[in-house]
Short mmCIF file of all heavy atoms in Angstrom, two decimals:
data_model
loop_
_atom_site.label_atom_id
_atom_site.label_comp_id
_atom_site.label_asym_id
_atom_site.label_seq_id
_atom_site.Cartn_x
_atom_site.Cartn_y
_atom_site.Cartn_z
N ASP A 299 107.74 92.81 122.47
CA ASP A 299 107.79 91.33 122.46
C ASP A 299 107.87 90.85 123.89
O ASP A 299 108.85 91.17 124.56
CB ASP A 299 108.95 90.86 121.59
CG ASP A 299 108.96 89.39 121.38
OD1 ASP A 299 108.46 88.59 122.21
OD2 ASP A 299 109.49 88.91 120.38
N LYS A 300 106.87 90.13 124.38
CA LYS A 300 106.82 89.79 125.82
C LYS A 300 107.54 88.48 126.18
O LYS A 300 107.57 88.10 127.30
CB LYS A 300 105.32 89.59 126.22
CG LYS A 300 104.49 90.89 126.02
CD LYS A 300 104.94 92.01 126.92
CE LYS A 300 103.99 93.18 126.75
NZ LYS A 300 104.54 94.42 127.15
N ARG A 301 108.07 87.81 125.12
CA ARG A 301 108.82 86.57 125.48
C ARG A 301 110.07 86.85 126.34
O ARG A 301 110.77 87.86 126.12
CB ARG A 301 109.30 85.91 124.16
CG ARG A 301 108.09 85.35 123.38
CD ARG A 301 108.53 84.71 122.06
NE ARG A 301 109.12 85.76 121.21
CZ ARG A 301 110.09 85.60 120.27
NH1 ARG A 301 110.57 84.40 120.10
NH2 ARG A 301 110.51 86.54 119.57
N LEU A 302 110.25 86.00 127.37
CA LEU A 302 111.30 86.20 128.31
C LEU A 302 112.61 85.74 127.71
O LEU A 302 112.66 84.82 126.93
CB LEU A 302 111.03 85.35 129.60
CG LEU A 302 109.84 85.80 130.44
CD1 LEU A 302 109.60 84.89 131.55
CD2 LEU A 302 110.04 87.25 130.96
N LEU A 303 113.68 86.53 128.05
CA LEU A 303 115.06 86.10 127.69
C LEU A 303 115.49 84.87 128.58
O LEU A 303 114.99 84.82 129.74
CB LEU A 303 116.04 87.24 127.92
CG LEU A 303 115.87 88.46 126.99
CD1 LEU A 303 116.61 89.54 127.56
CD2 LEU A 303 116.28 88.11 125.57
N PRO A 304 116.26 84.03 128.04
CA PRO A 304 116.70 82.91 128.87
C PRO A 304 117.44 83.32 130.17
O PRO A 304 117.31 82.78 131.23
CB PRO A 304 117.64 82.12 127.95
CG PRO A 304 117.47 82.64 126.64
CD PRO A 304 116.79 83.94 126.64
N HIS A 305 118.19 84.44 129.95
CA HIS A 305 118.97 85.00 131.10
C HIS A 305 118.83 86.54 131.00
O HIS A 305 119.09 87.07 129.88
CB HIS A 305 120.40 84.66 131.11
CG HIS A 305 120.64 83.12 131.01
ND1 HIS A 305 120.45 82.31 132.12
CD2 HIS A 305 120.98 82.32 130.03
CE1 HIS A 305 120.67 81.11 131.75
NE2 HIS A 305 120.94 81.05 130.47
N PRO A 306 118.42 87.25 132.03
CA PRO A 306 118.42 88.70 131.95
C PRO A 306 119.79 89.25 131.57
O PRO A 306 120.81 88.73 131.88
CB PRO A 306 118.09 89.17 133.40
CG PRO A 306 117.33 87.99 133.96
CD PRO A 306 118.04 86.70 133.35
N SER A 307 119.75 90.25 130.64
CA SER A 307 121.01 90.83 130.15
C SER A 307 121.03 92.29 130.28
O SER A 307 120.14 92.98 129.82
CB SER A 307 121.17 90.37 128.69
OG SER A 307 120.21 91.01 127.85
N GLY A 308 122.09 92.73 131.02
CA GLY A 308 122.31 94.17 131.05
C GLY A 308 121.13 94.90 131.88
O GLY A 308 120.30 94.27 132.45
N THR A 309 121.14 96.14 131.74
CA THR A 309 120.12 96.96 132.41
C THR A 309 119.49 98.02 131.41
O THR A 309 120.23 98.43 130.56
CB THR A 309 120.60 97.73 133.64
OG1 THR A 309 121.73 98.54 133.21
CG2 THR A 309 121.04 96.76 134.78
N GLN A 310 118.29 98.24 131.62
CA GLN A 310 117.69 99.31 130.78
C GLN A 310 118.08 100.68 131.27
O GLN A 310 118.73 100.79 132.25
CB GLN A 310 116.13 99.26 130.94
CG GLN A 310 115.49 98.07 130.22
CD GLN A 310 113.99 98.07 130.41
OE1 GLN A 310 113.45 98.08 131.51
NE2 GLN A 310 113.27 98.13 129.29
N LEU A 311 117.64 101.69 130.59
CA LEU A 311 118.05 103.05 130.92
C LEU A 311 117.45 103.47 132.31
O LEU A 311 118.05 104.30 133.04
CB LEU A 311 117.54 104.07 129.88
CG LEU A 311 118.23 103.85 128.48
CD1 LEU A 311 117.62 104.87 127.53
CD2 LEU A 311 119.69 104.01 128.59
N ASN A 312 116.37 102.81 132.75
CA ASN A 312 115.76 103.04 134.02
C ASN A 312 116.42 102.30 135.14
O ASN A 312 115.98 102.36 136.26
CB ASN A 312 114.29 102.90 133.98
CG ASN A 312 113.90 101.44 133.76
OD1 ASN A 312 114.78 100.51 133.72
ND2 ASN A 312 112.58 101.14 133.65
N GLY A 313 117.44 101.46 134.84
CA GLY A 313 118.15 100.72 135.89
C GLY A 313 117.61 99.32 136.09
O GLY A 313 118.17 98.55 136.90
N GLN A 314 116.45 99.00 135.54
CA GLN A 314 115.87 97.66 135.79
C GLN A 314 116.57 96.67 134.82
O GLN A 314 117.03 97.02 133.71
CB GLN A 314 114.42 97.66 135.36
CG GLN A 314 113.57 98.66 136.25
CD GLN A 314 113.52 98.23 137.63
OE1 GLN A 314 113.37 97.02 137.95
NE2 GLN A 314 113.78 99.13 138.65
N PRO A 315 116.65 95.36 135.24
CA PRO A 315 117.26 94.37 134.39
C PRO A 315 116.31 94.16 133.10
O PRO A 315 115.17 94.30 133.20
CB PRO A 315 117.32 93.13 135.26
CG PRO A 315 116.36 93.40 136.36
CD PRO A 315 116.22 94.85 136.55
N ILE A 316 117.02 93.80 132.04
CA ILE A 316 116.34 93.50 130.83
C ILE A 316 115.89 92.06 130.94
O ILE A 316 116.70 91.10 130.92
CB ILE A 316 117.21 93.80 129.54
CG1 ILE A 316 117.60 95.23 129.52
CG2 ILE A 316 116.52 93.34 128.30
CD1 ILE A 316 118.63 95.56 128.43
N THR A 317 114.56 91.80 130.88
CA THR A 317 114.08 90.37 131.09
C THR A 317 113.33 89.88 129.86
O THR A 317 113.12 88.71 129.76
CB THR A 317 113.16 90.35 132.34
OG1 THR A 317 112.09 91.31 132.09
CG2 THR A 317 113.93 90.69 133.57
#
Side-chain angles (χ1 to χ4, degrees):
D299 189 328
K300 302 293 185 203
R301 292 177 295 151
L302 295 175
L303 291 168
H305 306 286
S307 63
T309 56
Q310 287 181 301
L311 297 177
N312 65 4
Q314 299 295 316
I316 298 171
T317 57

